[in-house]
């Protein structure tokens, strides 16, 4: 690490949660001085001589999500991301069937006479993105009386859409798999309504995609560097305060100063980095409004012959009784970045852990244990959040505002019910709030 910097940053972004990382890239694009600090490189970590993904990444085509498309256009990253985006097949693994999610022939073979109904239900769900688009609007994460009133008016005008229940009856045997897919797409533990499913999960029914190592986060952090911001892979020892105001980040005994902070990590982790004071107690109470249930994550490096024939790059496993599992398969990368063609990396994200997860893996990947060459647990785990209090839209989370002046939350709890689009919507909102605090609103493009 370099000597202590003399630069005063407009904003420090701490952590790798996507809302905060989106805000970091947008603010760098808009001319603010940005410092991004995270304990691991974007999207990956090293273990046992391998580069392993932090978690599976579920990506639709970028053009389907308005907030994602608008952000990438502003950052001039749309062409770069679209060139790197690789279509991949996705499977559903049920106790008595393994089928491609979008192939009607597979549905026919698995479900016989029910196939037409299942295929029609999937088509209707995929089309629901546009149907429920008007409901995701108005001032999300509102601040101030004016925005709260505008939000209330928006809810009243779109009450029919916002209150529409999710109907999966026509999906028949696929219902469990679709709900499992939503559980891995959105960070919300509540049963999804129609709007949440349409905006978070239905876009994936148009097709799944993959980005190379690091995913979207790597492109966004790279943009911070390209706009003369700084991005450090380092552990923060403490958040420094001067009086009650944020002053900077203590990293290995050095103070990296900034005017504002976006905590791109769960609120509970932010609390642990703050010195004891009354405002920390208030923030702790705010963090308790979102109760986290961690998902279980495991990285397995195994010989390629240990994977069953026909297992695709992505598989949603449901209906086995012990829980749900999302399996992502990637070529194995050594620490030096070279691909090892004899090995594959399998990332398992699951609602079940321990023996239950092992039992499901043995059902789906019989006798895989003999082929395992390395196994690791990532340094951080995704979670699903149960939110306390009223949720008029059905997908909101905690407010980004905190009791500490200049400190905003930018973790996964902001708009947990909207998945990837929620992360980009929240990131745009955070960028707007930081510009207002720093007086740099005129720099927006």
């Amino acid at each position: 690490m370099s000597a202590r910097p003399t630069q005063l940053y407009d904003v420090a972004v701490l952590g790798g949660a996507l809302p905060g990382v989106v805000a970091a890239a947008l603010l760098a694009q808009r001319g603010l001085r940005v410092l991004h600090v995270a304990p691991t490189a974007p999207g990956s970590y090293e273990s046992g001589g391998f580069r392993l993904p932090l978690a599976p990444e579920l990506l639709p085509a970028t053009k389907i999500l308005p907030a994602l498309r608008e952000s990438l256009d502003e950052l001039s990253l749309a062409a770069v991301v679209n060139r790197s985006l690789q279509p991949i097949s996705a499977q559903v693994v049920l106790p008595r069937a393994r089928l491609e999610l979008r192939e009607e022939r597979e549905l026919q073979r698995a479900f016989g006479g029910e196939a037409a109904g299942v295929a029609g239900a999937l088509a209707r769900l995929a089309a629901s993105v546009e149907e429920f688009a008007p409901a995701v609007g108005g001032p999300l994460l509102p601040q101030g009386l004016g925005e709260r009133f505008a939000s209330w008016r928006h809810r009243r005008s779109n009450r029919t859409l916002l209150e529409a229940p999710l109907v999966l009856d026509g999906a028949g045997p696929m219902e469990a798999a679709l709900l499992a897919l939503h559980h891995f797409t959105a960070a919300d533990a509540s049963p999804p309504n129609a709007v949440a499913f349409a905006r978070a999960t239905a876009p994936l029914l148009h097709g799944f995609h993959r980005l190379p190592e690091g995913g979207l986060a790597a492109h966004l952090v790279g943009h911070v560097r390209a706009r003369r911001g700084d991005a450090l892979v380092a552990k923060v020892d403490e958040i420094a305060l001067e009086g009650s105001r944020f002053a900077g980040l203590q990293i290995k005994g050095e103070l990296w100063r900034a005017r504002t902070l976006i905590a791109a990590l769960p609120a509970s982790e932010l609390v642990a980095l703050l010195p004891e004071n009354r405002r920390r107690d208030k923030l702790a109470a705010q963090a308790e409004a979102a109760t986290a249930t961690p998902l279980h994550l495991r990285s397995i490096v195994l010989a390629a012959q240990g994977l069953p024939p026909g297992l695709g790059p992505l598989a949603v496993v449901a209906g086995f009784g012990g829980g749900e599992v999302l399996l992502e398969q990637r070529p194995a990368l050594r620490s030096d970045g070279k691909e090892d063609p004899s090995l594959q990396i399998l990332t398992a994200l699951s609602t079940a852990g321990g023996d239950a997860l092992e039992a499901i893996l043995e059902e789906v990947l019989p006798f895989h244990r003999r082929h395992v060459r390395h196994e690791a647990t990532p340094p951080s785990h995704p979670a699903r959040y149960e939110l306390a209090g009223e949720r008029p839209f059905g997908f909101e989370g905690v407010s980004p505002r905190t009791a500490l002046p200049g400190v905003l939350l930018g973790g996964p709890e902001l708009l947990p019910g909207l998945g990837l689009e929620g992360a980009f919507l929240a990131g745009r909102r955070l960028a707007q709030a930081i510009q207002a605090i720093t007086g740099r609103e005129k720099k927006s493009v």
Side-chain angles (χ1 to χ4, degrees):
M1 185 174 293
S2 62
R4 184 167 70 187
T6 57
Q7 182 175 14
L8 173 65
Y9 294 93
D10 291 306
V11 59
V13 178
L14 171 59
L18 202 51
V21 176
V22 170
L26 291 170
L27 290 167
Q29 174 71 20
R30 296 172 186 180
L32 277 72
R33 298 182 297 275
V34 178
L35 169 67
H36 178 259
V37 184
T40 60
S44 65
Y45 69 105
E46 291 197 13
S47 177
F50 296 95
R51 290 185 188 175
L52 304 173
L54 283 172
E57 188 169 44
L58 293 170
L59 290 174
T62 58
K63 64 182 181 181
I64 295 177
L65 299 182
L68 173 57
R69 183 177 66 245
E70 185 179 356
S71 299
L72 294 180
D73 284 344
E74 178 178 340
L75 298 170
S76 299
L77 285 176
V80 174
V81 169
N82 286 331
R83 280 198 300 269
S84 303
L85 209 59
Q86 305 162 357
I88 59 171
S89 63
Q91 295 175 334
V92 168
V93 179
L94 302 171
R96 296 184 181 180
R98 177 178 296 172
L99 58 144
E100 298 296 322
L101 191 57
R102 297 180 66 231
E103 289 290 334
E104 195 162 347
R105 286 176 299 176
E106 294 285 333
L107 294 172
Q108 181 68 38
R109 189 169 65 207
F111 301 126
E114 298 179 45
V118 174
L122 292 179
R124 289 192 300 274
L125 288 168
S128 67
V129 177
E130 296 302 325
E131 178 184 353
F132 290 101
V136 183
L140 293 173
L141 307 173
Q143 301 296 322
L145 185 60
E147 287 191 356
R148 285 189 170 87
F149 179 68
S151 178
W152 174 81
R153 289 180 59 190
H154 177 77
R155 292 200 308 270
R156 188 178 64 175
S157 300
N158 292 278
R159 182 174 299 163
T160 301
L161 289 175
L162 287 168
E163 294 179 356
L166 176 62
V167 178
L168 294 176
D169 294 344
M174 291 289 290
E175 181 174 350
L178 291 172
L179 286 174
L181 181 60
H182 184 79
H183 293 162
F184 297 121
T185 307
D188 196 339
S190 303
N193 61 16
V195 174
F197 186 90
R199 303 309 293 178
T201 302
L204 294 167
L205 302 179
H206 291 275
F208 293 76
H209 297 77
R210 170 182 290 170
L211 283 168
E213 184 190 8
L216 276 173
H219 284 280
L220 296 169
V221 173
H223 190 77
V224 171
R225 292 192 182 99
R227 300 295 294 184
R228 295 184 295 178
D230 289 313
L232 307 179
V233 177
K235 181 182 178 182
V236 169
D237 302 317
E238 187 179 56
I239 292 172
L241 302 179
E242 292 180 352
S244 63
R245 294 196 64 85
F246 170 72
L249 303 175
Q250 286 283 355
I251 304 173
K252 293 188 176 180
E254 297 178 346
L255 178 61
W256 295 66
R257 289 187 169 274
R259 297 172 63 193
T260 57
L261 172 69
I262 296 176
L265 39 74
S268 58
E269 294 182 22
L270 170 63
V271 172
L273 292 171
L274 288 168
E276 296 281 354
N277 63 20
R278 286 186 306 162
R279 294 179 186 270
R280 170 179 165 160
D281 294 340
K282 290 183 179 179
L283 182 55
Q286 184 178 355
E288 290 172 358
T291 304
T293 302
L295 295 170
H296 300 273
L297 196 55
R298 187 181 299 180
S299 299
I300 304 171
V301 182
L302 72 170
Q305 63 264 33
L307 294 168
L311 182 68
L314 197 69
V316 181
V317 182
F320 284 85
E324 303 155 341
V325 184
L326 178 67
L327 295 176
E328 185 185 44
Q329 183 185 159
R330 286 179 179 262
L333 290 180
R334 297 281 182 178
S335 293
D336 59 6
K338 293 182 180 178
E339 186 176 319
D340 187 332
S342 68
L343 301 173
Q344 289 284 301
I345 294 174
L346 191 71
T347 306
L349 180 63
S350 176
T351 57
D355 293 342
L357 174 56
E358 191 60 39
I360 295 171
L361 290 177
E362 192 59 34
E363 287 271 0
V364 178
L365 313 168
F367 312 113
H368 74 283
R369 274 281 145 208
R370 68 184 68 171
H371 300 283
V372 173
R373 301 293 179 263
H374 179 66
E375 196 165 1
T377 300
S380 61
H381 286 246
R384 298 177 66 207
Y385 292 89
E386 189 171 336
L387 284 303
E390 184 184 2
R391 303 177 71 196
F393 287 100
F395 48 72
E396 315 95 308
V398 299
S399 167
R401 297 285 180 176
T402 73
L404 290 168
V407 176
L408 299 179
L409 297 179
E413 312 101 318
L414 298 186
L415 291 171
L418 294 183
L420 181 62
E421 186 174 32
F424 274 81
L425 286 167
R428 298 189 69 80
R429 189 70 171 123
L430 288 167
Q432 181 185 4
I434 289 293
Q435 286 182 278
I437 293 171
T438 58
R440 300 290 297 275
E441 292 174 290
K442 293 183 180 179
K443 291 289 184 181
S444 177
V445 294

